[in-house]
Amino acid sequence: MTITAPEDVLRSPNTVLANAVDSTLDVLRPRVFAEEPERIRFVVGTQINGHPHIGTHLVQSLAFLLAEQTRDDYGIDVDVEFHALDNAPAETVRDPETGHRYQRTYVHQLGPDAIGALVAEHYTPLFDALSARTNVPYGVTTYTAQQDGPEFRAEFVRTLEYLEEIRYWLDPSAGSAHIRLPCPVCGWAEKDAQRTRLLELDDSGALFESVCMDHGRYESDITPLGGGYVDLATLYRNVVKERAYRPDGTLRVMVKGGDWVYGCSLVDGAQSAIGPTATAPARIFTPQILGPDGGKLSKSLLRETAEAGPAEGAPFGWLLNPSLWPGTPEDYVRTLTGFGELLLSSPRHFFRSYTTTEMERLIVTTRKPATNQTQAKRPKSMAIYRQYFDLIADGSKTVEVRVQYPSMLRIKVGDLINFTCRELSCLTRVTRVGKYKTFKEMFGTEDVRAVNPNASEAEQLEAIYAIFPPEKEALGVITFQIERVKGDG
């Protein structure tokens, strides 16, 4: 029997990483097995400098979809945490006397209340819709709030002991750590921190001297509990952020755009120079969205393109500014998550890049009309191991077993489930749903051979408990009797 594969719509080349895993989430498996976390938190840093483009929304939606699939596949509680980077430069000027560049962050220019309003305008509606779609809770914090916490500030002070060892990792060209300490009077800080000096360092904190273009020299006494605003350049901020987590039963997974692959080699170099940490987060790099010329889709390039006038092959409006989406917000979220599910259907589709032209083609090809009927019949995608996938594909496995996560409870008789394994997919229809208190009770009703014709009940229970520990079994057990959909291959 032929298996319908996503290549009907999308063809992706193999890569080293895609060849090593059966599912995108397999990259987390070593950490999950080693740490046995109680929760997995997917962390996404978000710029707030204007309208987000489609690449930003894709990373954010993939964070929710990755969390949803992790919960369903690993049986671990999940959530998503967004870091609003309110330390991004809102203004940049050059001191006419010295030539030094200065910047003022969004939070210094606008204030915390306006930052909250920006997040509410550009992101909260999307996050709410994605959370409702996946039943994954989320939270939002700002960089200002993060760096004001004692863990972050204490870790920053500790890294200063290794400043000589890490400064060329943080800035290979000039060896500057770019520690920006804004003037307490006006909020401006020297962008490249060329005249910021570390005067004293001990267990209680660090004393710095900086220069303001308007107010001259000033000092900042940075301690774990206060002493002024600390604004670190991107690489240094990530070094401190990754080291500041403490053992609390939560595995953090940094969800980053594909362009971060290159930068993380420098972050890892600095981490190695400082020394290992037991709480380092995992990372997943999402597909990078490219402009028609093959360069990363970026706001600065978009502004330059807009000033130069329309160009042949330039992406259409809503890809650059999703607020221009011609349909309803619900249709936008449905389209965005549908595209994300296509990417997650195979590691080959996930670990690669897409031009805006290809992304638009795929969205147009796979997008369904926004009707109640198509919403009800849109397949639920479930990743599954190859040994079980083959049994479903040949028709010998007709019962799938999960625990009663809210996302599983939404599946009803007649719904479609698209089981996926790397580039393969198998479309099925649910013909019966069973609910049980325990796996043992489930096997008292369900046919053991229908769940797995190649294993005994004892062997199956051992395999199931390896995936779903007792606290997950306590949620309840759910089974889906399935049949292959005719015409799917």
Side-chain angles (χ1 to χ4, degrees):
M1 185 175 292
T2 304
I3 307 301
T4 303
E7 275 109 346
D8 294 342
V9 173
L10 170 62
R11 298 185 64 85
S12 297
N14 205 356
T15 62
V16 172
L17 181 55
N19 192 51
V21 296
D22 292 329
S23 166
T24 300
L25 285 177
D26 285 346
V27 298
L28 300 182
R29 194 175 305 279
R31 295 292 297 272
V32 172
F33 281 177
E35 299 178 26
E36 300 182 341
E38 300 173 2
R39 174 177 295 273
I40 297 182
R41 175 163 296 155
F42 292 81
V43 182
V44 180
T46 302
Q47 290 281 2
I48 59 172
N49 51 344
H51 286 286
H53 57 61
I54 193 66
T56 301
H57 276 180
L58 180 62
V59 174
Q60 293 163 349
S61 63
L62 283 171
F64 279 97
L65 293 173
L66 286 163
E68 178 188 35
Q69 187 174 334
T70 297
R71 180 193 61 211
D72 293 349
D73 288 1
Y74 288 97
I76 299 175
D77 291 335
V78 297
D79 59 30
V80 172
E81 182 176 272
F82 285 92
H83 294 171
L85 302 181
D86 58 348
N87 66 317
E91 301 175 88
T92 303
V93 299
R94 192 176 294 274
D95 185 344
E97 295 184 4
T98 66
H100 292 279
R101 294 188 301 165
Y102 282 80
Q103 71 173 49
R104 187 158 62 165
T105 69
Y106 272 87
V107 70
H108 285 94
Q109 183 191 63
L110 302 177
D113 291 342
I115 294 298
L118 275 176
V119 172
E121 176 186 359
H122 294 315
Y123 299 104
T124 300
L126 176 66
F127 296 166
D128 286 346
L130 290 169
S131 180
R133 155 67 179 77
T134 59
N135 201 44
V136 171
Y138 79 92
V140 177
T141 187
T142 62
Y143 169 78
T144 297
Q146 182 189 58
Q147 70 90 35
D148 202 38
E151 296 86 1
F152 186 96
R153 298 175 73 88
E155 192 60 46
F156 166 62
V157 172
R158 277 191 286 269
T159 64
L160 295 173
E161 300 176 20
Y162 304 89
L163 196 56
E164 188 61 31
E165 290 84 356
I166 67 176
R167 64 189 184 96
Y168 276 102
W169 287 111
L170 303 176
D171 179 10
S173 298
S176 172
H178 289 197
I179 302 171
R180 307 179 188 117
L181 305 168
C183 173
V185 179
C186 62
W188 287 89
E190 192 176 19
K191 184 174 179 62
D192 300 319
Q194 293 165 306
R195 293 179 292 178
T196 295
R197 295 191 300 132
L198 176 61
L199 301 178
E200 298 178 13
L201 176 65
D202 56 33
D203 293 338
S204 64
L207 180 65
F208 289 91
E209 179 187 71
S210 306
V211 180
C212 175
M213 59 182 172
D214 292 325
H215 301 99
R217 297 187 179 277
Y218 59 93
E219 292 184 351
S220 303
D221 189 6
I222 305 301
T223 73
L225 300 179
Y229 194 94
V230 178
D231 178 19
L232 304 178
T234 302
L235 294 177
Y236 200 173
R237 179 177 68 245
N238 276 266
V239 169
V240 176
K241 180 170 66 174
E242 292 186 1
R243 300 186 69 84
Y245 294 124
R246 295 294 175 259
D248 59 1
T250 297
L251 170 62
R252 274 82 176 181
V253 180
M254 316 303 285
V255 182
K256 296 177 176 292
D259 59 306
W260 256 100
V261 172
Y262 309 108
C264 279
S265 64
L266 297 176
V267 173
D268 290 341
Q271 300 285 28
S272 178
I274 296 172
T277 172
T279 57
R283 302 184 187 127
I284 289 184
F285 301 102
T286 64
Q288 187 170 341
I289 304 303
L290 311 175
D293 62 353
K296 174 198 171 187
L297 193 65
S298 72
K299 292 176 181 176
S300 58
L301 290 179
L302 294 180
R303 284 193 294 267
E304 293 174 9
T305 300
E307 293 171 358
E312 183 179 355
F316 291 101
W318 65 267
L319 289 170
L320 309 184
N321 182 355
S323 67
L324 301 177
W325 172 258
T328 65
E330 294 77 13
D331 184 39
Y332 176 69
V333 171
R334 186 165 49 252
T335 301
L336 193 62
T337 54
F339 181 68
E341 289 171 349
L342 174 63
L343 303 186
L344 283 167
S345 68
S346 168
R348 292 189 182 192
H349 302 330
F350 194 88
F351 297 117
R352 55 160 291 184
S353 299
Y354 294 86
T355 64
T356 50
T357 303
E358 177 67 357
M359 182 177 184
E360 185 174 40
R361 181 191 72 81
L362 292 169
I363 286 177
V364 170
T365 302
T366 59
R367 182 183 173 193
K368 305 293 186 192
T371 66
N372 291 335
Q373 181 179 6
T374 55
Q375 287 183 37
K377 296 302 181 181
R378 185 170 67 87
K380 165 74 175 179
S381 180
M382 284 191 189
I384 194 168
Y385 292 116
R386 181 61 184 266
Q387 65 188 90
Y388 304 121
F389 178 90
D390 289 343
L391 296 175
I392 291 175
D394 67 22
S396 59
K397 175 176 169 62
T398 57
V399 173
E400 173 64 3
V401 180
R402 302 278 167 146
V403 295
Q404 294 183 29
Y405 296 121
S407 60
M408 296 293 107
L409 291 172
R410 291 197 294 266
I411 299 176
K412 309 298 181 185
V413 172
D415 286 353
L416 301 176
I417 298 179
N418 191 38
F419 290 95
T420 63
C421 179
R422 302 187 69 176
E423 74 277 8
L424 303 178
S425 67
C426 181
L427 188 62
T428 66
R429 179 180 289 106
V430 177
T431 60
R432 178 177 59 84
V433 177
K435 296 179 182 178
Y436 308 93
K437 292 182 179 179
T438 67
F439 293 115
K440 289 184 178 179
E441 179 187 331
M442 179 268 295
F443 276 123
T445 300
E446 301 288 351
D447 182 355
V448 173
R449 290 185 57 79
V451 178
N452 185 348
N454 299 327
S456 67
E457 179 178 331
E459 291 170 333
Q460 291 190 51
L461 281 172
E462 182 180 1
I464 288 173
Y465 284 128
I467 301 174
F468 300 113
E471 62 269 22
K472 300 306 176 186
E473 183 183 29
L475 297 173
V477 177
I478 189 168
T479 61
F480 304 108
Q481 184 168 321
I482 54 176
E483 63 179 9
R484 287 291 307 272
V485 174
K486 293 181 179 180
D488 72 323

